[in-house]
Amino acid sequence: MTTVTVTVTLTGSLEPDVPEHYINTGTTTHVAIEVMDVASTQAMSNGKTLTIGINTEHKTSLALKSRMITPNGKATSGSVIGLTQLLNKGAAITLERILSN
């Protein structure tokens, strides 16, 4: 049997005021973190799953983007920090973080 797809689930602490976004644990206030799948532009809120194709070399790529949002306004200056986990059953995942401007 050959594996041709992998299903991953994103989990993390939710922003109480906007539960589809992740909580900011930095020093700025009134800011949440939005995570999206680049390919589908689907919001990746807590518990969302994505199924991704695997190539013949048994590799795949998952492009996510994030941004800080202020759902109710009144954001203050400071740091923005968030943590999410990428879960997969049955296969090892190696994450490579690529930063771009």
Side-chain angles (χ1 to χ4, degrees):
M1 184 163 107
T2 302
T3 302
V4 294
T5 61
V6 63
T7 301
V8 294
T9 305
L10 211 63
T11 64
S13 298
L14 300 179
E15 170 59 43
D17 294 332
V18 190
E20 63 270 15
H21 301 303
Y22 296 95
I23 195 164
N24 165 42
T25 58
T27 59
T28 188
T29 59
H30 307 289
V31 169
I33 301 168
E34 178 184 63
V35 178
M36 296 185 79
D37 171 38
V38 172
S40 69
T41 66
Q42 174 181 331
M44 294 299 298
S45 57
N46 190 48
K48 276 280 195 181
T49 61
L50 279 177
T51 300
I52 310 156
I54 298 174
N55 66 23
T56 57
E57 296 175 352
H58 305 285
K59 293 182 180 183
T60 191
S61 177
L62 173 61
L64 299 175
K65 64 181 178 179
S66 63
R67 66 180 180 157
M68 59 184 192
I69 62 163
T70 178
N72 301 318
K74 301 180 184 176
T76 62
S77 62
S79 63
V80 176
I81 300 170
L83 174 67
T84 60
Q85 293 182 4
L86 187 61
L87 304 175
N88 175 41
K89 293 182 181 178
I93 296 177
T94 301
L95 297 178
E96 178 181 343
R97 189 171 118 188
I98 301 172
L99 301 177
S100 60
N101 295 342

